[in-house]
Amino acid sequence: MKIFFAISLLLGLVAVGGESFFRADDRWLLTGDSITQTDTYRQVVERVMRHYHPDNGLTFPNRSVWGVPSAHQADAKDKPTVVSIMTGMNDIIHHEYAHETDFTAKAEAYYRNILSQVRRFKALGAEVILFTPTLTDERVSSFFSPMYTRKGLVLFGEVIRRIGREEGCLVLPIAEDLEAYDATLGPNELARTDGVHPFGFAQYRIAYSIIDYLNVRGTLTGRRALSASPERVPVSVKRVNKFLHEAGEKVALEFSSFEAITFKVRWSLAAERGSETLTLQPGEKLIWRLPATPKAYDLVLGARAQAVVDLTAGERSSLYIIDLARTKVAKPINGEVAFDIVCHDAQSPATKMFKHSLMQFKGERTEGDYVGNVRIREHNNSELWLNGRVYDSVINSEAFWITGRDTVRMMFDFRPLERFGGLTPDRDTTMILMSPRLEPDFSMMGLAWWGPRFQYCIYSNGEKTEDGYTWKLGFAGNITDYAKFDISKLDYYGFHVSIIDCDGKAGTKLHSAMLSHFDINVEKALNQLIIIDRKSTFPHSETSTIQLFGY
């Protein structure tokens, strides 16, 4: 307790009781780069706000822009009452540095840029909150060249705290909290699989910092001060079931405690909510099922939902997010399974539900509605081989950004059961990009964009055809000097494939084997990959996955 009190003083936290930083009519404008633009932590904060305050009138416009540096001036047309700023990553990455680089000049420019933003938003009457910019993970080799960059971002964090003092702005230690979370992860787990972007539960950790420091739980009085994180309810919460196979099944959680305790459980899912009081004896394990109706649980293929469960005991509070996602289960026949990728009917219910800006509908594609296919087969009991065909009359391979050119994008989840479907990609997941090139001769690049250690065990090639190209990808041999790729060790694995087609005036189009809420941002849908059920573990052709985050 003394240690926590000292940290609270260091951060400038004050006890605000049950009062929130937010007012019920606040317009909170989020600004930043791709780390905020991905919209994950904002969505979690908004979802939790609706859980505690279902009738509030807060709005959460996100005006962050992918790839922008700190000099970027965000759009303020929303007339915000609150503005958060988290930027700086693009001032640092995309360069090569020596081990002992002096970042002083960059820090001075960063100071001027952030100060300009702060004063601009304050002049508009907004309360400005500063987030220390998240750091890179220099252990990861990636396209973004994170090596020797952390020092610069740490210096940027000091700049943020300086501006906070000078301008009277609240500062949230987002980077510091994320580093503390990263330190808790197990073998092969990563908060930033590309060395730069926090994904999945790492984004949830950012959201939890905001929820705690700005006291989203509290009464929406608009007391513009930071709160200390609440003491957690001493109850362990674990998933009991990881999938919902049958209609009427409910999420089951195991509650246990080392002490006798009575606590309140509040939950919300879809439009339903409820609460109950539970009592645990020391060492007792209690199975609790989230008591929403079948209607609240019902998801169509490709859809997602979030339940929120909070526990309270006196002033102690814990918060949990439960992600549900409906996905397809494919059962190989004689070790093989195949998928067709097509343009969808614009009027179909699924298309209307999951429509996005890169979608191309039936009748719109020059080469026809049949875009391509993929066949997956096992070989030698341990290897995995894929081959496919793409019907594409114009092959574009010139863009520097790999998904800005013609590409077959595949995601694989080779994690063991306990981590399977987790929202944070790690070393046992990989995104493979297959990109064709015409000159000087036709060639095919197979790149492990995520999970770069898989680069050591993948084989790829392809051929030009009259109406497009064929491609082949294989997983065989060693991933590292001590680990061999062996698909036979898994009862099932996750798979997703999209064909990215970049054709002149038509622009970039994306066609997937399964439509979902995050068809474009598949990195946000690792709990919704198609499940390749190698050993007939699943009873049906669809299931709902369950993921749990919280404390």
Side-chain angles (χ1 to χ4, degrees), residues 34-94:
S34 57
I35 294 169
T36 301
Q37 188 256 351
T38 191
D39 210 35
T40 301
Y41 75 78
R42 184 205 67 83
Q43 289 176 341
V44 172
V45 174
E46 181 177 16
R47 175 66 183 89
V48 171
M49 180 68 78
R50 306 299 180 205
H51 170 76
Y52 286 110
H53 311 285
D55 299 320
N56 77 81
L58 274 89
T59 56
F60 301 77
N62 186 349
R63 301 300 176 195
S64 302
V65 179
W66 181 88
V68 298
S70 61
H72 174 74
Q73 295 289 324
D75 188 343
K77 65 183 180 182
D78 303 283
K79 298 180 180 179
T81 58
V82 176
V83 176
S84 61
I85 300 173
M86 183 168 70
T87 187
M89 183 64 73
N90 291 298
D91 296 63
I92 294 292
I93 62 171
H94 313 306

Short mmCIF file of all heavy atoms in Angstrom, two decimals, residues 34-94:
data_model
loop_
_atom_site.label_atom_id
_atom_site.label_comp_id
_atom_site.label_asym_id
_atom_site.label_seq_id
_atom_site.Cartn_x
_atom_site.Cartn_y
_atom_site.Cartn_z
N SER A 34 -1.30 5.64 -36.12
CA SER A 34 -1.97 4.36 -36.34
C SER A 34 -2.26 3.61 -35.04
O SER A 34 -3.18 2.79 -34.99
CB SER A 34 -1.12 3.48 -37.26
OG SER A 34 0.19 3.29 -36.72
N ILE A 35 -1.49 3.87 -33.99
CA ILE A 35 -1.71 3.17 -32.72
C ILE A 35 -3.08 3.52 -32.15
O ILE A 35 -3.76 2.69 -31.54
CB ILE A 35 -0.58 3.49 -31.73
CG1 ILE A 35 0.74 2.90 -32.27
CG2 ILE A 35 -0.88 2.97 -30.33
CD1 ILE A 35 1.97 3.35 -31.54
N THR A 36 -3.51 4.76 -32.37
CA THR A 36 -4.85 5.18 -31.96
C THR A 36 -5.86 4.97 -33.08
O THR A 36 -7.02 4.61 -32.84
CB THR A 36 -4.83 6.66 -31.54
OG1 THR A 36 -3.92 6.83 -30.45
CG2 THR A 36 -6.21 7.13 -31.10
N GLN A 37 -5.41 5.17 -34.33
CA GLN A 37 -6.32 5.06 -35.47
C GLN A 37 -6.92 3.67 -35.61
O GLN A 37 -8.04 3.51 -36.11
CB GLN A 37 -5.56 5.44 -36.75
CG GLN A 37 -6.43 5.57 -37.99
CD GLN A 37 -6.29 4.38 -38.92
OE1 GLN A 37 -5.41 3.54 -38.72
NE2 GLN A 37 -7.14 4.30 -39.92
N THR A 38 -6.22 2.64 -35.13
CA THR A 38 -6.77 1.28 -35.19
C THR A 38 -8.06 1.16 -34.39
O THR A 38 -8.84 0.25 -34.58
CB THR A 38 -5.74 0.26 -34.70
OG1 THR A 38 -6.19 -1.05 -35.00
CG2 THR A 38 -5.49 0.37 -33.21
N ASP A 39 -8.28 2.09 -33.46
CA ASP A 39 -9.56 2.31 -32.78
C ASP A 39 -9.89 1.27 -31.71
O ASP A 39 -11.01 1.25 -31.20
CB ASP A 39 -10.71 2.37 -33.79
CG ASP A 39 -11.85 3.28 -33.31
OD1 ASP A 39 -11.56 4.29 -32.66
OD2 ASP A 39 -13.01 2.96 -33.58
N THR A 40 -8.93 0.46 -31.32
CA THR A 40 -9.24 -0.60 -30.36
C THR A 40 -9.41 -0.06 -28.95
O THR A 40 -10.42 -0.32 -28.28
CB THR A 40 -8.15 -1.68 -30.38
OG1 THR A 40 -8.06 -2.22 -31.70
CG2 THR A 40 -8.50 -2.81 -29.41
N TYR A 41 -8.44 0.70 -28.45
CA TYR A 41 -8.57 1.15 -27.06
C TYR A 41 -9.73 2.12 -26.89
O TYR A 41 -10.40 2.14 -25.86
CB TYR A 41 -7.25 1.68 -26.51
CG TYR A 41 -6.77 3.04 -26.96
CD1 TYR A 41 -7.31 4.21 -26.43
CD2 TYR A 41 -5.72 3.16 -27.86
CE1 TYR A 41 -6.84 5.46 -26.81
CE2 TYR A 41 -5.23 4.41 -28.24
CZ TYR A 41 -5.79 5.56 -27.71
OH TYR A 41 -5.32 6.79 -28.09
N ARG A 42 -10.01 2.91 -27.92
CA ARG A 42 -11.17 3.81 -27.84
C ARG A 42 -12.46 3.01 -27.71
O ARG A 42 -13.34 3.33 -26.90
CB ARG A 42 -11.24 4.70 -29.08
CG ARG A 42 -12.37 5.74 -29.01
CD ARG A 42 -12.83 6.17 -30.39
NE ARG A 42 -13.48 5.09 -31.10
CZ ARG A 42 -14.77 4.76 -30.94
NH1 ARG A 42 -15.53 5.43 -30.09
NH2 ARG A 42 -15.29 3.76 -31.62
N GLN A 43 -12.60 1.95 -28.53
CA GLN A 43 -13.81 1.14 -28.49
C GLN A 43 -14.00 0.48 -27.13
O GLN A 43 -15.13 0.38 -26.63
CB GLN A 43 -13.76 0.08 -29.59
CG GLN A 43 -13.91 0.64 -30.99
CD GLN A 43 -13.77 -0.43 -32.07
OE1 GLN A 43 -13.23 -1.50 -31.82
NE2 GLN A 43 -14.25 -0.14 -33.26
N VAL A 44 -12.91 0.02 -26.52
CA VAL A 44 -13.02 -0.61 -25.20
C VAL A 44 -13.46 0.40 -24.16
O VAL A 44 -14.35 0.12 -23.34
CB VAL A 44 -11.68 -1.27 -24.80
CG1 VAL A 44 -11.73 -1.75 -23.35
CG2 VAL A 44 -11.36 -2.44 -25.73
N VAL A 45 -12.87 1.60 -24.18
CA VAL A 45 -13.27 2.63 -23.21
C VAL A 45 -14.74 2.98 -23.41
O VAL A 45 -15.51 3.09 -22.43
CB VAL A 45 -12.39 3.88 -23.35
CG1 VAL A 45 -12.92 5.00 -22.45
CG2 VAL A 45 -10.95 3.57 -22.99
N GLU A 46 -15.16 3.13 -24.65
CA GLU A 46 -16.57 3.45 -24.91
C GLU A 46 -17.48 2.33 -24.43
O GLU A 46 -18.53 2.58 -23.83
CB GLU A 46 -16.80 3.72 -26.40
CG GLU A 46 -18.24 4.09 -26.70
CD GLU A 46 -18.48 4.44 -28.16
OE1 GLU A 46 -17.61 4.11 -29.00
OE2 GLU A 46 -19.53 5.03 -28.46
N ARG A 47 -17.09 1.08 -24.69
CA ARG A 47 -17.93 -0.06 -24.26
C ARG A 47 -18.06 -0.09 -22.74
O ARG A 47 -19.16 -0.34 -22.21
CB ARG A 47 -17.31 -1.37 -24.78
CG ARG A 47 -18.02 -2.63 -24.30
CD ARG A 47 -19.43 -2.73 -24.85
NE ARG A 47 -20.13 -3.89 -24.33
CZ ARG A 47 -20.86 -3.90 -23.21
NH1 ARG A 47 -20.97 -2.79 -22.48
NH2 ARG A 47 -21.47 -4.99 -22.82
N VAL A 48 -16.95 0.14 -22.04
CA VAL A 48 -16.99 0.13 -20.58
C VAL A 48 -17.80 1.32 -20.06
O VAL A 48 -18.55 1.20 -19.08
CB VAL A 48 -15.57 0.13 -20.01
CG1 VAL A 48 -15.58 0.33 -18.49
CG2 VAL A 48 -14.87 -1.19 -20.36
N MET A 49 -17.68 2.47 -20.73
CA MET A 49 -18.48 3.63 -20.34
C MET A 49 -19.97 3.31 -20.46
O MET A 49 -20.77 3.65 -19.58
CB MET A 49 -18.12 4.82 -21.24
CG MET A 49 -18.89 6.10 -20.94
SD MET A 49 -18.47 6.84 -19.34
CE MET A 49 -16.90 7.62 -19.75
N ARG A 50 -20.37 2.61 -21.53
CA ARG A 50 -21.78 2.24 -21.70
C ARG A 50 -22.22 1.22 -20.65
O ARG A 50 -23.39 1.16 -20.28
CB ARG A 50 -22.02 1.67 -23.10
CG ARG A 50 -21.58 2.54 -24.26
CD ARG A 50 -22.29 3.87 -24.33
NE ARG A 50 -21.81 4.67 -25.46
CZ ARG A 50 -21.87 5.99 -25.53
NH1 ARG A 50 -22.40 6.68 -24.53
NH2 ARG A 50 -21.40 6.64 -26.58
N HIS A 51 -21.27 0.42 -20.20
CA HIS A 51 -21.59 -0.56 -19.15
C HIS A 51 -21.93 0.15 -17.84
O HIS A 51 -22.95 -0.15 -17.20
CB HIS A 51 -20.40 -1.49 -18.94
CG HIS A 51 -20.51 -2.39 -17.75
ND1 HIS A 51 -21.31 -3.51 -17.73
CD2 HIS A 51 -19.93 -2.33 -16.52
CE1 HIS A 51 -21.21 -4.11 -16.55
NE2 HIS A 51 -20.38 -3.41 -15.80
N TYR A 52 -21.09 1.09 -17.44
CA TYR A 52 -21.31 1.79 -16.17
C TYR A 52 -22.37 2.89 -16.29
O TYR A 52 -23.06 3.19 -15.31
CB TYR A 52 -20.00 2.41 -15.68
CG TYR A 52 -19.02 1.42 -15.11
CD1 TYR A 52 -17.85 1.11 -15.79
CD2 TYR A 52 -19.27 0.78 -13.90
CE1 TYR A 52 -16.94 0.20 -15.26
CE2 TYR A 52 -18.37 -0.14 -13.37
CZ TYR A 52 -17.20 -0.42 -14.05
OH TYR A 52 -16.31 -1.33 -13.53
N HIS A 53 -22.46 3.49 -17.46
CA HIS A 53 -23.37 4.64 -17.65
C HIS A 53 -24.15 4.45 -18.96
O HIS A 53 -23.87 5.12 -19.96
CB HIS A 53 -22.56 5.94 -17.70
CG HIS A 53 -21.59 6.10 -16.58
ND1 HIS A 53 -21.97 6.41 -15.29
CD2 HIS A 53 -20.23 5.96 -16.55
CE1 HIS A 53 -20.90 6.48 -14.52
NE2 HIS A 53 -19.83 6.20 -15.26
N PRO A 54 -25.12 3.56 -18.97
CA PRO A 54 -25.80 3.21 -20.24
C PRO A 54 -26.54 4.37 -20.89
O PRO A 54 -26.77 4.34 -22.10
CB PRO A 54 -26.77 2.10 -19.82
CG PRO A 54 -26.93 2.24 -18.34
CD PRO A 54 -25.62 2.76 -17.84
N ASP A 55 -26.88 5.39 -20.13
CA ASP A 55 -27.67 6.49 -20.70
C ASP A 55 -26.86 7.76 -20.90
O ASP A 55 -27.42 8.84 -21.09
CB ASP A 55 -28.87 6.79 -19.78
CG ASP A 55 -29.80 5.60 -19.63
OD1 ASP A 55 -30.02 4.90 -20.64
OD2 ASP A 55 -30.28 5.35 -18.51
N ASN A 56 -25.52 7.65 -20.86
CA ASN A 56 -24.71 8.86 -20.99
C ASN A 56 -24.73 9.38 -22.42
O ASN A 56 -25.05 8.64 -23.36
CB ASN A 56 -23.26 8.59 -20.55
CG ASN A 56 -22.47 7.84 -21.60
OD1 ASN A 56 -21.97 8.43 -22.55
ND2 ASN A 56 -22.37 6.52 -21.45
N GLY A 57 -24.38 10.65 -22.58
CA GLY A 57 -24.38 11.26 -23.91
C GLY A 57 -23.00 11.53 -24.46
O GLY A 57 -22.85 12.34 -25.38
N LEU A 58 -21.97 10.87 -23.92
CA LEU A 58 -20.61 11.09 -24.40
C LEU A 58 -20.45 10.65 -25.85
O LEU A 58 -21.06 9.66 -26.29
CB LEU A 58 -19.60 10.31 -23.56
CG LEU A 58 -19.09 11.00 -22.29
CD1 LEU A 58 -19.99 10.68 -21.12
CD2 LEU A 58 -17.68 10.54 -21.99
N THR A 59 -19.62 11.38 -26.59
CA THR A 59 -19.23 10.95 -27.93
C THR A 59 -17.70 10.83 -27.96
O THR A 59 -17.00 11.52 -27.21
CB THR A 59 -19.70 11.93 -29.00
OG1 THR A 59 -19.21 13.25 -28.70
CG2 THR A 59 -21.22 11.96 -29.08
N PHE A 60 -17.20 9.95 -28.83
CA PHE A 60 -15.79 9.59 -28.83
C PHE A 60 -15.20 9.67 -30.24
O PHE A 60 -14.72 8.67 -30.78
CB PHE A 60 -15.61 8.16 -28.31
CG PHE A 60 -16.12 7.92 -26.92
CD1 PHE A 60 -17.48 7.76 -26.67
CD2 PHE A 60 -15.25 7.82 -25.86
CE1 PHE A 60 -17.96 7.52 -25.41
CE2 PHE A 60 -15.71 7.57 -24.57
CZ PHE A 60 -17.07 7.43 -24.34
N PRO A 61 -15.22 10.81 -30.92
CA PRO A 61 -14.67 10.86 -32.28
C PRO A 61 -13.16 10.59 -32.29
O PRO A 61 -12.42 11.12 -31.46
CB PRO A 61 -14.98 12.29 -32.73
CG PRO A 61 -15.15 13.07 -31.47
CD PRO A 61 -15.74 12.11 -30.48
N ASN A 62 -12.74 9.76 -33.23
CA ASN A 62 -11.32 9.42 -33.38
C ASN A 62 -10.82 10.02 -34.68
O ASN A 62 -11.20 9.58 -35.76
CB ASN A 62 -11.16 7.89 -33.39
CG ASN A 62 -9.71 7.45 -33.38
OD1 ASN A 62 -8.80 8.25 -33.57
ND2 ASN A 62 -9.48 6.17 -33.15
N ARG A 63 -9.97 11.04 -34.58
CA ARG A 63 -9.44 11.72 -35.76
C ARG A 63 -7.96 11.40 -35.98
O ARG A 63 -7.24 12.17 -36.60
CB ARG A 63 -9.64 13.23 -35.63
CG ARG A 63 -11.09 13.66 -35.48
CD ARG A 63 -11.94 13.25 -36.66
NE ARG A 63 -13.35 13.58 -36.45
CZ ARG A 63 -14.33 13.08 -37.18
NH1 ARG A 63 -14.06 12.22 -38.15
NH2 ARG A 63 -15.59 13.42 -36.93
N SER A 64 -7.52 10.28 -35.47
CA SER A 64 -6.13 9.87 -35.67
C SER A 64 -5.92 9.44 -37.12
O SER A 64 -6.85 8.99 -37.79
CB SER A 64 -5.79 8.71 -34.73
OG SER A 64 -5.99 9.10 -33.39
N VAL A 65 -4.68 9.57 -37.57
CA VAL A 65 -4.35 9.28 -38.97
C VAL A 65 -3.13 8.38 -39.03
O VAL A 65 -2.11 8.66 -38.38
CB VAL A 65 -4.08 10.58 -39.76
CG1 VAL A 65 -3.71 10.26 -41.21
CG2 VAL A 65 -5.30 11.51 -39.71
N TRP A 66 -3.24 7.34 -39.79
CA TRP A 66 -2.15 6.38 -39.97
C TRP A 66 -0.91 7.08 -40.52
O TRP A 66 -0.98 7.84 -41.49
CB TRP A 66 -2.61 5.30 -40.94
CG TRP A 66 -1.65 4.20 -41.23
CD1 TRP A 66 -1.48 3.04 -40.54
CD2 TRP A 66 -0.72 4.14 -42.32
NE1 TRP A 66 -0.52 2.26 -41.12
CE2 TRP A 66 -0.03 2.92 -42.22
CE3 TRP A 66 -0.41 5.00 -43.37
CZ2 TRP A 66 0.96 2.53 -43.13
CZ3 TRP A 66 0.58 4.63 -44.27
CH2 TRP A 66 1.24 3.40 -44.14
N GLY A 67 0.24 6.87 -39.88
CA GLY A 67 1.52 7.31 -40.43
C GLY A 67 1.92 8.74 -40.17
O GLY A 67 3.00 9.16 -40.62
N VAL A 68 1.12 9.52 -39.43
CA VAL A 68 1.45 10.94 -39.28
C VAL A 68 2.45 11.16 -38.14
O VAL A 68 2.45 10.44 -37.14
CB VAL A 68 0.19 11.80 -39.02
CG1 VAL A 68 -0.76 11.71 -40.20
CG2 VAL A 68 -0.51 11.39 -37.73
N PRO A 69 3.31 12.18 -38.27
CA PRO A 69 4.23 12.55 -37.18
C PRO A 69 3.56 13.54 -36.24
O PRO A 69 2.41 13.93 -36.43
CB PRO A 69 5.39 13.19 -37.94
CG PRO A 69 4.72 13.85 -39.12
CD PRO A 69 3.58 12.93 -39.51
N SER A 70 4.31 13.98 -35.24
CA SER A 70 3.75 14.87 -34.23
C SER A 70 3.41 16.25 -34.78
O SER A 70 2.64 16.99 -34.16
CB SER A 70 4.73 15.02 -33.06
OG SER A 70 5.96 15.57 -33.51
N ALA A 71 3.95 16.62 -35.94
CA ALA A 71 3.64 17.92 -36.53
C ALA A 71 2.24 17.97 -37.12
O ALA A 71 1.72 19.06 -37.42
CB ALA A 71 4.67 18.26 -37.61
N HIS A 72 1.61 16.82 -37.28
CA HIS A 72 0.27 16.77 -37.88
C HIS A 72 -0.74 17.49 -36.99
O HIS A 72 -0.79 17.27 -35.78
CB HIS A 72 -0.16 15.32 -38.07
CG HIS A 72 -1.57 15.16 -38.54
ND1 HIS A 72 -1.97 15.43 -39.83
CD2 HIS A 72 -2.69 14.75 -37.87
CE1 HIS A 72 -3.27 15.20 -39.94
NE2 HIS A 72 -3.73 14.79 -38.77
N GLN A 73 -1.56 18.34 -37.60
CA GLN A 73 -2.62 19.05 -36.88
C GLN A 73 -3.94 18.33 -37.10
O GLN A 73 -4.47 18.30 -38.20
CB GLN A 73 -2.71 20.50 -37.37
CG GLN A 73 -1.49 21.34 -37.07
CD GLN A 73 -1.35 21.65 -35.59
OE1 GLN A 73 -2.32 21.86 -34.88
NE2 GLN A 73 -0.11 21.68 -35.12
N ALA A 74 -4.47 17.73 -36.04
CA ALA A 74 -5.68 16.93 -36.16
C ALA A 74 -6.91 17.80 -36.42
O ALA A 74 -6.98 18.96 -36.01
CB ALA A 74 -5.89 16.12 -34.88
N ASP A 75 -7.87 17.21 -37.10
CA ASP A 75 -9.14 17.87 -37.39
C ASP A 75 -9.91 18.10 -36.08
O ASP A 75 -10.08 17.18 -35.29
CB ASP A 75 -9.94 16.97 -38.33
CG ASP A 75 -11.21 17.63 -38.86
OD1 ASP A 75 -11.64 18.63 -38.28
OD2 ASP A 75 -11.76 17.12 -39.84
N ALA A 76 -10.36 19.33 -35.86
CA ALA A 76 -11.09 19.66 -34.63
C ALA A 76 -12.53 20.05 -34.91
O ALA A 76 -13.16 20.75 -34.11
CB ALA A 76 -10.37 20.78 -33.89
N LYS A 77 -13.10 19.59 -36.03
CA LYS A 77 -14.45 19.99 -36.41
C LYS A 77 -15.51 19.49 -35.44
O LYS A 77 -16.65 19.96 -35.46
CB LYS A 77 -14.77 19.50 -37.81
CG LYS A 77 -14.81 17.98 -37.96
CD LYS A 77 -15.06 17.56 -39.40
CE LYS A 77 -15.11 16.05 -39.56
NZ LYS A 77 -15.31 15.65 -40.97
N ASP A 78 -15.15 18.52 -34.58
CA ASP A 78 -16.12 17.96 -33.64
C ASP A 78 -16.38 18.88 -32.44
O ASP A 78 -17.19 18.54 -31.58
CB ASP A 78 -15.63 16.60 -33.13
CG ASP A 78 -15.38 15.63 -34.26
OD1 ASP A 78 -16.36 15.09 -34.80
OD2 ASP A 78 -14.21 15.43 -34.62
N LYS A 79 -15.68 20.02 -32.38
CA LYS A 79 -15.81 20.95 -31.25
C LYS A 79 -15.65 20.21 -29.92
O LYS A 79 -16.56 20.18 -29.08
CB LYS A 79 -17.16 21.68 -31.31
CG LYS A 79 -17.34 22.53 -32.56
CD LYS A 79 -18.68 23.24 -32.58
CE LYS A 79 -18.83 24.09 -33.84
NZ LYS A 79 -20.14 24.79 -33.90
N PRO A 80 -14.49 19.62 -29.71
CA PRO A 80 -14.30 18.76 -28.54
C PRO A 80 -14.26 19.54 -27.23
O PRO A 80 -13.82 20.70 -27.18
CB PRO A 80 -12.94 18.11 -28.82
CG PRO A 80 -12.21 19.12 -29.66
CD PRO A 80 -13.27 19.73 -30.53
N THR A 81 -14.71 18.89 -26.18
CA THR A 81 -14.53 19.41 -24.83
C THR A 81 -13.30 18.78 -24.17
O THR A 81 -12.76 19.33 -23.22
CB THR A 81 -15.77 19.12 -23.96
OG1 THR A 81 -16.01 17.70 -23.94
CG2 THR A 81 -16.99 19.83 -24.51
N VAL A 82 -12.90 17.61 -24.68
CA VAL A 82 -11.72 16.90 -24.20
C VAL A 82 -10.93 16.43 -25.41
O VAL A 82 -11.51 15.94 -26.38
CB VAL A 82 -12.09 15.68 -23.32
CG1 VAL A 82 -10.84 14.91 -22.92
CG2 VAL A 82 -12.87 16.11 -22.09
N VAL A 83 -9.60 16.59 -25.37
CA VAL A 83 -8.73 16.10 -26.44
C VAL A 83 -7.60 15.29 -25.81
O VAL A 83 -6.98 15.74 -24.84
CB VAL A 83 -8.13 17.26 -27.26
CG1 VAL A 83 -7.13 16.73 -28.29
CG2 VAL A 83 -9.22 18.07 -27.94
N SER A 84 -7.35 14.10 -26.35
CA SER A 84 -6.18 13.33 -25.93
C SER A 84 -5.18 13.31 -27.07
O SER A 84 -5.56 13.23 -28.24
CB SER A 84 -6.57 11.91 -25.52
OG SER A 84 -7.15 11.20 -26.60
N ILE A 85 -3.90 13.37 -26.72
CA ILE A 85 -2.82 13.37 -27.71
C ILE A 85 -1.86 12.24 -27.37
O ILE A 85 -1.30 12.19 -26.27
CB ILE A 85 -2.06 14.71 -27.71
CG1 ILE A 85 -3.00 15.87 -28.06
CG2 ILE A 85 -0.89 14.66 -28.69
CD1 ILE A 85 -2.37 17.25 -27.91
N MET A 86 -1.69 11.31 -28.30
CA MET A 86 -0.64 10.29 -28.19
C MET A 86 -0.01 10.13 -29.57
O MET A 86 -0.59 9.53 -30.47
CB MET A 86 -1.18 8.95 -27.69
CG MET A 86 -0.05 7.92 -27.51
SD MET A 86 -0.50 6.43 -26.60
CE MET A 86 -1.59 5.63 -27.76
N THR A 87 1.17 10.67 -29.72
CA THR A 87 1.85 10.64 -31.01
C THR A 87 3.35 10.70 -30.77
O THR A 87 3.80 10.93 -29.65
CB THR A 87 1.39 11.83 -31.88
OG1 THR A 87 1.95 11.70 -33.19
CG2 THR A 87 1.80 13.15 -31.28
N GLY A 88 4.12 10.46 -31.81
CA GLY A 88 5.57 10.50 -31.70
C GLY A 88 6.26 9.31 -32.34
O GLY A 88 7.44 9.39 -32.72
N MET A 89 5.53 8.19 -32.49
CA MET A 89 6.15 7.00 -33.05
C MET A 89 6.73 7.26 -34.44
O MET A 89 7.86 6.85 -34.75
CB MET A 89 5.13 5.86 -33.11
CG MET A 89 5.68 4.54 -33.62
SD MET A 89 6.94 3.82 -32.56
CE MET A 89 5.94 3.26 -31.17
N ASN A 90 5.99 7.99 -35.28
CA ASN A 90 6.46 8.22 -36.65
C ASN A 90 7.53 9.29 -36.75
O ASN A 90 8.10 9.50 -37.83
CB ASN A 90 5.27 8.56 -37.55
CG ASN A 90 4.37 7.36 -37.76
OD1 ASN A 90 4.77 6.35 -38.30
ND2 ASN A 90 3.13 7.47 -37.28
N ASP A 91 7.83 9.97 -35.65
CA ASP A 91 8.99 10.86 -35.61
C ASP A 91 10.28 10.07 -35.42
O ASP A 91 11.37 10.59 -35.67
CB ASP A 91 8.86 11.86 -34.45
CG ASP A 91 7.67 12.79 -34.60
OD1 ASP A 91 6.53 12.31 -34.61
OD2 ASP A 91 7.89 14.00 -34.70
N ILE A 92 10.14 8.82 -34.97
CA ILE A 92 11.31 8.03 -34.58
C ILE A 92 11.57 6.86 -35.53
O ILE A 92 12.70 6.67 -35.99
CB ILE A 92 11.14 7.50 -33.14
CG1 ILE A 92 11.15 8.66 -32.15
CG2 ILE A 92 12.23 6.49 -32.80
CD1 ILE A 92 12.48 9.36 -32.02
N ILE A 93 10.54 6.06 -35.83
CA ILE A 93 10.78 4.88 -36.67
C ILE A 93 10.99 5.30 -38.13
O ILE A 93 10.96 6.48 -38.44
CB ILE A 93 9.63 3.86 -36.55
CG1 ILE A 93 8.29 4.46 -37.02
CG2 ILE A 93 9.52 3.35 -35.12
CD1 ILE A 93 7.18 3.43 -37.13
N HIS A 94 11.19 4.33 -39.00
CA HIS A 94 11.44 4.54 -40.43
C HIS A 94 12.85 5.07 -40.70
O HIS A 94 13.14 5.55 -41.79
CB HIS A 94 10.42 5.49 -41.07
CG HIS A 94 8.99 5.22 -40.72
ND1 HIS A 94 8.42 3.98 -40.90
CD2 HIS A 94 8.03 6.01 -40.18
CE1 HIS A 94 7.15 4.03 -40.50
NE2 HIS A 94 6.90 5.24 -40.05
#
